[in-house]
Amino acid sequence: MKVSLINIGDELLIGQVVNTNATWMSQQLIAAGMDVEKVYTISDNRTDIEDTLQQAMLCSNAVIITGGLGPTKDDITKKTLCDFFDSDFVEDKQTFDIISAIFEKRGYPMTDTNRQQALVPRCCTVLLNKRGTAPGMWFEKDGKVIVSLPGVPFEMKYLIDEEVIPRMVKYFNVGCILNKNILFQGIGESFLSDRIEQWELSLPKYIKLAYLPKAGLVRLRLTARGNDGDKNDMLAGIDTAVAELYKIVGDYIVGEDMETLAEVVADKMIRKLKTLSVAESCSGGAIASSITSLAGASQYFKGSVVAYSNEIKEKILGVNVDTLLKYGAVSEETAREMAMGVMNTMDTDYAVATTGIAGPGGGTAEKPVGTVWIAVASKDEIHTQKMTFGDDRLRVIERTVNQALANLLKMINK
Amino acid sequence: MKVSLINIGDELLIGQVVNTNATWMSQQLIAAGMDVEKVYTISDNRTDIEDTLQQAMLCSNAVIITGGLGPTKDDITKKTLCDFFDSDFVEDKQTFDIISAIFEKRGYPMTDTNRQQALVPRCCTVLLNKRGTAPGMWFEKDGKVIVSLPGVPFEMKYLIDEEVIPRMVKYFNVGCILNKNILFQGIGESFLSDRIEQWELSLPKYIKLAYLPKAGLVRLRLTARGNDGDKNDMLAGIDTAVAELYKIVGDYIVGEDMETLAEVVADKMIRKLKTLSVAESCSGGAIASSITSLAGASQYFKGSVVAYSNEIKEKILGVNVDTLLKYGAVSEETAREMAMGVMNTMDTDYAVATTGIAGPGGGTAEKPVGTVWIAVASKDEIHTQKMTFGDDRLRVIERTVNQALANLLKMINK
């Protein structure tokens, strides 16, 4: 069962937007038991859309098209598809109602251009987009499926999860697919791969592996594929494989069936009824933001002080002025006092603090850009660590967040 | 002058790696005056490579292939290309010397597999890879150019900058391209499109438009294309078009040649030598994080208090306990006191505060999920606004960040 993706958009071709849609869609499709055959990124242009769709249909069972469905003039995908399938336009009542409701809620009048978004080719099945005004469209031709989705990630993801994958699994009788995700921290992809080489060779044939590294973490995905009747055997096979994996590299495993460290931290804190506060300098709010992006954060997270100036470190976090003068803002001592300060002020069980030089400016010979101190504190102990995270600002911030959460997790697990 | 890209690699098709190579290459090629026609992501497989190359050559003047040049068995691009051009292999002396030197430096013996990396099709021009063992290859056929490069970003980037672009600009005698980006806030893509319809029709033929909407913002890109000699006329044409645009929809324009509201805010604050502090409840650190993700933030940003519990709102931000009891945490009064509190505590010229229900829990009939109060304060005035941002947690947070920054910008611009 092969799927090809066609991502439409000049913003992709001129390099203004990274094609993360393709990455995300591939992950979801593969997890549901389908193979991604080719990804085409093309312009918002009738001939390109027609030619590419024809090529894609030759080598795949299904084609998913994203983008080119907005109300503006440069979006011509819908017209092209309507002609491609020799159809004409009809207004879709449910889509029209959704668009009306969105405009009513926002208090804007609905224009003719907006209303046109409710028009769909007569021959398609509408995939109701509950997150926006452009409907998804499902076409069938010669035993193949062609789906058109909006390019806005928030809308596309909803339609892939809720509509496209369930329908495709049924239409193509994909069978039984089981996924198990194991999250590793503190070991690189190639080292992990070396350590588990023998284990990998001993896996049952129906289990396939994928390494999904992301900012200091490695997610290892085990995918079992078979017939619906084999489900229990496949479940047992995965359980055995995972148990073996713990024996070999259990020290690096920080979670299962979660995607981020923040999820693992939340899970542990909530179960143990503990509370957390954060003091951030170089991470600039990114730790708080990654924690609060998950629902239920208020059950354990009290707050963060983003102390971007020394004045705030002193005044709100109670860092000693002598510490700042003697050791500097980027130092073990400052990190330690920030963590203790926020833990006391916010009265929490645990605290995390970061201070460093995210760059590109501010580096010195002694403390180059990328130098970061991380402190993690509980009522019983305090742990500090110095890291050097390279010279790319966003990478430094991202790696600081991951290291801080990993260190916190180690302390919670003690 | 049209270029297509073929990125080879299973790691791209299974969503393990985001195709940032394509993004980067597109940026460089466009800046050099070339159009990127299509991007193909394909598997490491002879038939796919041959078919895709043939398709790409039909619609482009040049094709750049990345990936599939490593020494391992699954890398078969070089053999496929050698056959495709009816050539045979010869050893390239300079590449052999580079490979030898790399192995000597690392202290490893050079194997036969490694030595094979110095073999190239006789008919190609070798693009010397000074950063790795796989050489770049330049082929010419029927007036078209086909280039094969290693997929490792560090090596690919060197070859694109130093070899591919200079050679292509010369070979194809490329002209002039100019881009101008205008950032809008507070107007949807379709409304904007309706408002500027006449303006769009009156644009010179050489200017093309693209709408790039992103989380409450719309970026409008004007692209002018012509000969090198027409550059001044094209610059004047863009200036005229932009001046006209300001007359029609200037109220919604928040910046030029920037991508995000945070960039526009930073630019204004730094120019006006003003300082900012933030108090965040429902945005949970995302405002601070978006501000500090940009280099130079410490020039105007003092810090943020993420007050996820009422206790912190009282204790650190000085919100009156009676206000919290009488109006609740999600109220105009609390937002106002949070903004005033953080502005006073951090001693800044401006402050922004958010309080709301990001969901999925916590909503009531009176204050449903998505209800957000935003306050913006200066020494002279305070502005509050109530928004309803729907029921998706991450969307609520993202839209809160954008609305808060937009409101701040309006106050700064007064």
Side-chain angles (χ1 to χ4, degrees), chain B residues 45-344:
Chain B
N45 161 314
R46 175 177 278 267
T47 319
D48 281 0
I49 297 172
E50 284 169 355
D51 290 354
T52 310
L53 181 54
Q54 239 146 16
Q55 287 164 17
M57 283 174 71
L58 285 177
C59 66
S60 351
N61 307 93
V63 180
I64 304 177
I65 304 167
T66 63
L69 293 182
T72 56
K73 288 196 200 331
D74 60 346
D75 289 327
I76 50 133
T77 309
K78 199 160 63 176
K79 275 183 213 139
T80 306
L81 288 176
C82 194
D83 294 345
F84 188 90
F85 292 105
D86 278 329
S87 194
D88 59 333
F89 279 115
V90 290
E91 186 169 283
D92 182 63
K93 175 78 175 74
Q94 283 188 288
T95 300
F96 178 78
D97 290 346
I98 287 179
I99 299 174
S100 304
I102 287 175
F103 279 87
E104 202 165 305
K105 203 172 164 189
R106 290 184 191 158
Y108 294 146
M110 189 165 153
T111 66
D112 276 355
T113 311
N114 301 127
R115 180 157 190 159
Q116 279 171 24
Q117 292 209 275
L119 295 178
V120 297
R122 193 183 299 274
C123 66
C124 81
T125 304
V126 170
L127 307 177
L128 217 49
N129 178 2
K130 294 186 179 167
R131 290 190 173 175
T133 52
M137 296 172 283
W138 171 285
F139 302 88
E140 294 173 12
K141 190 179 183 179
D142 308 330
K144 306 211 168 185
V145 169
I146 298 92
V147 175
S148 167
L149 303 175
V152 182
F154 172 72
E155 301 177 24
M156 176 278 289
K157 288 180 180 180
Y158 167 81
L159 285 166
I160 287 281
D161 282 340
E162 299 299 320
E163 296 284 349
V164 180
I165 286 181
R167 283 171 191 261
M168 283 205 181
V169 165
K170 209 170 152 195
Y171 189 91
F172 291 105
N173 194 15
V174 174
C176 174
I177 185 160
L178 300 169
N179 282 296
K180 181 81 189 171
N181 289 284
I182 310 288
L183 197 64
F184 293 85
Q185 207 273 336
I187 185 167
E189 187 186 352
S190 60
F191 287 98
L192 180 60
S193 159
D194 286 348
R195 289 282 298 271
I196 63 177
E197 195 175 0
Q198 285 306 315
W199 170 84
E200 188 173 345
L201 291 171
S202 73
L203 285 177
K205 288 267 185 295
Y206 59 83
I207 297 182
K208 283 179 79 179
L209 286 189
Y211 292 83
L212 306 164
K214 191 179 170 187
L217 302 174
V218 178
R219 191 149 45 96
L220 183 70
R221 190 188 60 226
L222 289 72
T223 302
R225 231 166 257 241
N227 298 321
D228 284 326
D230 300 330
K231 188 171 176 182
N232 287 338
D233 286 349
M234 287 158 62
L235 278 170
I238 286 186
D239 282 350
T240 307
V242 171
E244 286 300 316
L245 197 60
Y246 269 91
K247 286 185 199 158
I248 310 164
V249 282
D251 286 353
Y252 301 102
I253 297 177
V254 288
E256 293 181 20
D257 290 325
M258 283 181 262
E259 300 208 356
T260 65
L261 266 173
E263 281 179 74
V264 183
V265 166
D267 178 62
K268 299 270 180 194
M269 296 291 282
I270 292 169
R271 280 207 237 174
K272 295 193 174 189
L273 301 172
K274 298 294 181 187
T275 55
L276 174 69
S277 58
V278 179
E280 307 188 54
S281 183
C282 67
S283 54
I287 294 179
S289 188
S290 79
I291 286 170
T292 59
S293 68
L294 300 170
S298 58
Q299 289 176 66
Y300 76 96
F301 179 65
K302 283 202 179 176
S304 172
V305 174
V306 181
Y308 230 57
S309 75
N310 282 352
E311 190 188 329
I312 309 301
K313 290 186 184 81
E314 279 177 57
K315 200 170 163 184
I316 303 186
L317 295 172
V319 175
N320 202 307
V321 63
D322 293 335
T323 304
L324 289 166
L325 286 172
K326 190 168 170 192
Y327 303 103
V330 179
S331 64
E332 179 172 14
E333 291 74 11
T334 298
R336 184 188 290 266
E337 289 186 27
M338 286 171 71
M340 295 306 294
V342 80
M343 188 165 68
N344 291 332

Side-chain angles (χ1 to χ4, degrees), chain A residues 14-16 27 38-39 41 52 55 72 113-114 154 189 211 284 292 302-304 306 308 315 345 393, chain B residues 15-16 27 38-39 41 52 55 189-190 194 212 219 221 284 292 302-304 306 308 315 345 393 395:
Chain A
I14 70 160
Q16 256 175 346
Q27 287 177 9
K38 284 193 188 181
V39 180
T41 310
T52 310
Q55 287 164 17
T72 55
T113 311
N114 300 127
F154 168 74
E189 185 187 354
Y211 292 84
T292 59
K302 283 203 180 175
S304 171
V306 180
Y308 230 58
K315 200 169 164 185
T345 305
R393 185 177 180 88
Chain B
Q16 184 178 342
Q27 286 171 4
K38 286 192 186 182
V39 180
T41 310
T52 310
Q55 287 164 17
E189 187 186 352
S190 60
D194 286 348
L212 306 164
R219 191 149 45 96
R221 190 188 60 226
T292 59
K302 283 202 179 176
S304 172
V306 181
Y308 230 57
K315 200 170 163 184
T345 305
R393 185 179 180 87
R395 269 298 263 190

Side-chain angles (χ1 to χ4, degrees), chain A residues 69-80:
Chain A
L69 293 181
T72 55
K73 290 193 198 329
D74 60 344
D75 289 328
I76 50 132
T77 309
K78 199 160 62 176
K79 274 183 214 139
T80 305

Side-chain angles (χ1 to χ4, degrees), chain A residues 195-215:
Chain A
R195 288 281 297 272
I196 64 177
E197 194 176 0
Q198 284 307 313
W199 170 84
E200 188 173 346
L201 290 171
S202 73
L203 285 177
K205 288 265 184 299
Y206 59 83
I207 297 181
K208 283 178 82 176
L209 288 189
Y211 292 84
L212 305 163
K214 190 180 170 187

